[in-house]
Amino acid sequence: MSYSAKIGPSILSSDLACLGNECVRMMECGADYLHLDVMDGHFVPNITFGHPMVECLRNCVGPDPFFDMHMMVSRPEQWVKPMAAAGANQYTFHIEATTNAGNLIKEIRESGMRVGLAIKPGTTVEELAPWAGQIDMALVMTVEPGFGGQSFMEDMMPKVSWLRSQFPSLDIEVDGGVGPSTIHKCAEAGANMIVSGSAVLSSEDPRSVIAMLRTAVLEAIQKRSLDR
């Protein structure tokens, strides 16, 4: 097993007027990466921000923080080069948004970014499976994309378990309603990259929440390796 526990605060849950400072604060509190939600008003109803904001954040936080771009957009092909130029490290697109995933994966790699592939709750994990050997990370949405504050969908955990059993070294991310009360279900299913929004950002002690989430994942990884 070559995957590790990584906690990525979802910065959309932060004080957007202080976004740069919030990113710095999260990294200082022990975040492993930053999860940035890009919404275009088409693939999902909301609109957030685009590559100019990402470039500003990169200039603010410096070269080290890892930017995981969750591209909730209807034309993911359009934004690969702009996001790479802006300083994105990983480009996570939705399989539902493209008819040529293979070409898009190739384009993302050629732009120097890691490749993430996401599925909405209504999409079967089998639709992602053919691409699992070509991507760096699979994202299993545990809420409907596009809105914060939704309840965690525990019935998505079999997708995570199946991916972990079939692709033991793949990074598997969960996003939506994940916090201290739901992390153990995610960790036990096999998720190792944990996106957490308000549970971390709205906490009075985000450092301890991040540490708790990481510990839960590390313990599950350790247990899985002992069980093999």
Side-chain angles (χ1 to χ4, degrees):
M1 286 185 288
S2 61
Y3 61 95
S4 59
K6 298 170 194 159
I7 312 302
S10 177
I11 63 160
L12 198 59
S13 298
S14 68
D15 180 350
L16 297 180
C18 312
L19 205 47
N21 289 339
E22 288 282 76
C23 289
V24 171
R25 182 170 74 100
M26 286 300 103
M27 297 307 296
E28 289 175 346
C29 285
D32 298 289
Y33 67 103
L34 297 170
H35 183 85
L36 288 74
D37 286 316
V38 176
M39 308 181 193
D40 66 353
H42 296 281
F43 185 72
V44 292
N46 281 338
I47 294 175
T48 56
F49 50 80
H51 55 92
M53 174 75 88
V54 176
E55 186 174 3
C56 289
L57 287 176
R58 178 56 78 199
N59 291 336
C60 175
V61 303
D64 292 337
F66 187 93
F67 286 2
D68 169 32
M69 308 306 306
H70 182 191
M71 303 299 297
M72 289 172 268
V73 299
S74 58
R75 291 174 59 199
E77 299 82 3
Q78 184 177 351
W79 307 109
V80 173
K81 287 185 173 65
M83 282 296 177
N89 300 103
Q90 179 165 284
Y91 195 92
T92 302
F93 68 96
H94 271 265
I95 197 164
E96 305 91 353
T98 184
T99 56
N100 195 341
N103 200 50
L104 186 49
I105 289 167
K106 182 169 175 282
E107 195 178 335
I108 295 165
R109 286 231 184 279
E110 288 173 351
S111 297
M113 295 182 289
R114 286 167 60 91
V115 180
L117 185 54
I119 52 172
K120 298 203 287 191
T123 303
T124 67
V125 74
E126 286 80 9
E127 291 178 58
L128 183 150
W131 308 106
Q134 299 180 39
I135 62 176
D136 298 292
M137 186 198 80
L139 165 54
V140 175
M141 290 300 297
T142 46
V143 296
E144 288 295 338
F147 297 96
Q150 298 176 67
S151 296
F152 174 78
M153 299 168 73
E154 189 177 345
D155 56 346
M156 295 299 110
M157 291 303 96
K159 294 182 182 180
V160 176
S161 300
W162 187 87
L163 282 169
R164 179 57 68 213
S165 68
Q166 299 298 310
F167 308 100
S169 61
L170 183 66
D171 277 328
I172 302 173
E173 185 176 64
V174 285
D175 177 12
V178 181
S181 64
T182 52
I183 183 61
H184 293 287
K185 293 182 177 70
C186 300
E188 286 161 14
N192 69 297
M193 292 185 68
I194 308 299
V195 176
S196 188
S198 52
V200 171
L201 271 302
S202 301
S203 168
E204 291 180 9
D205 187 3
R207 182 184 298 276
S208 69
V209 177
I210 289 171
M212 180 267 172
L213 297 174
R214 184 182 293 107
T215 298
V217 177
L218 285 171
E219 287 175 352
I221 291 173
Q222 192 173 20
K223 183 176 185 298
R224 193 168 289 109
S225 72
L226 290 172
D227 289 346
R228 288 178 68 161

